[in-house]
Amino acid sequence: RDGTWCYTANPANKKKVIENGDKWLDESTGTMLDQCERRYILGAVASDHTGSTWLSSFNDQGIKLMCGKTADELYEIQNSSGDGAFQGVFQEANFMPYVFKLRAKSETWQDETRVKCVIQELEPLNFKTGSAELLQMIHAYGVA
């Protein structure tokens, strides 16, 4: 995956920090930190039988999307194991079935209206539970 996948943050307030020598500066509070936390800011494409859409996700959902790895762990893989292992983590996360709860918001930029979707919650698809819900709906309609 190309582009930005994480940002450096103050662990206390989750605000972006910038590197300042061997320390980290939180510009929102003016404090210097010894360590920062990397947090996910991921883009993904979700698709089903109706089509596909671009989704944004942030740290909590990003951890779930990336098979339980934190952004700090993925950063270490990128720096210690090389690009192959780093790309492998993204490949491992591809084509996984999830149930999403999204926030969709219409935005206009340069006279073009777009719908921006952000993942609020996600959970792995549970086929057993989903099948039971479908059977219950079928029985409610008296079809079977």
Side-chain angles (χ1 to χ4, degrees):
R1 167 151 168 23
D2 294 332
T4 302
W5 58 272
C6 74
Y7 69 98
T8 52
N10 180 338
N13 63 15
K14 301 177 180 111
K15 301 272 184 170
K16 184 178 178 187
V17 296
I18 57 172
E19 196 168 6
N20 189 348
D22 61 343
K23 299 219 183 251
W24 298 91
L25 172 63
D26 182 340
E27 291 182 315
S28 68
T29 61
T31 56
M32 295 296 285
L33 305 167
D34 291 328
Q35 293 187 23
C36 69
E37 171 187 45
R38 283 169 181 77
R39 298 180 58 83
Y40 284 117
I41 182 165
L42 293 172
V45 175
S47 60
D48 65 7
H49 66 284
T50 62
S52 62
T53 191
W54 184 259
L55 305 175
S56 298
S57 69
F58 298 97
N59 199 57
D60 293 341
Q61 296 75 29
I63 291 171
K64 292 178 184 178
L65 283 173
M66 299 306 293
C67 307
K69 288 183 176 49
T70 66
D72 282 327
E73 291 170 339
L74 191 54
Y75 180 79
E76 285 302 317
I77 290 170
Q78 183 181 29
N79 288 327
S80 64
S81 301
D83 197 50
F86 175 71
Q87 292 298 327
V89 175
F90 282 92
Q91 291 300 318
E92 181 183 340
N94 282 341
F95 302 107
M96 301 296 286
Y98 291 103
V99 176
F100 294 99
K101 179 178 178 183
L102 305 174
R103 182 184 73 220
K105 183 179 174 182
S106 180
E107 293 182 347
T108 303
W109 187 69
Q110 293 184 345
D111 296 329
E112 186 178 327
T113 302
R114 298 180 186 172
V115 176
K116 180 179 178 184
C117 295
V118 178
I119 301 171
Q120 297 298 299
E121 294 177 25
L122 77 141
E123 59 186 58
L125 185 59
N126 184 327
F127 292 100
K128 184 176 179 181
T129 304
S131 298
E133 290 172 3
L134 287 173
L135 280 173
Q136 187 178 26
M137 284 189 247
I138 290 169
H139 289 300
Y141 284 104
V143 176

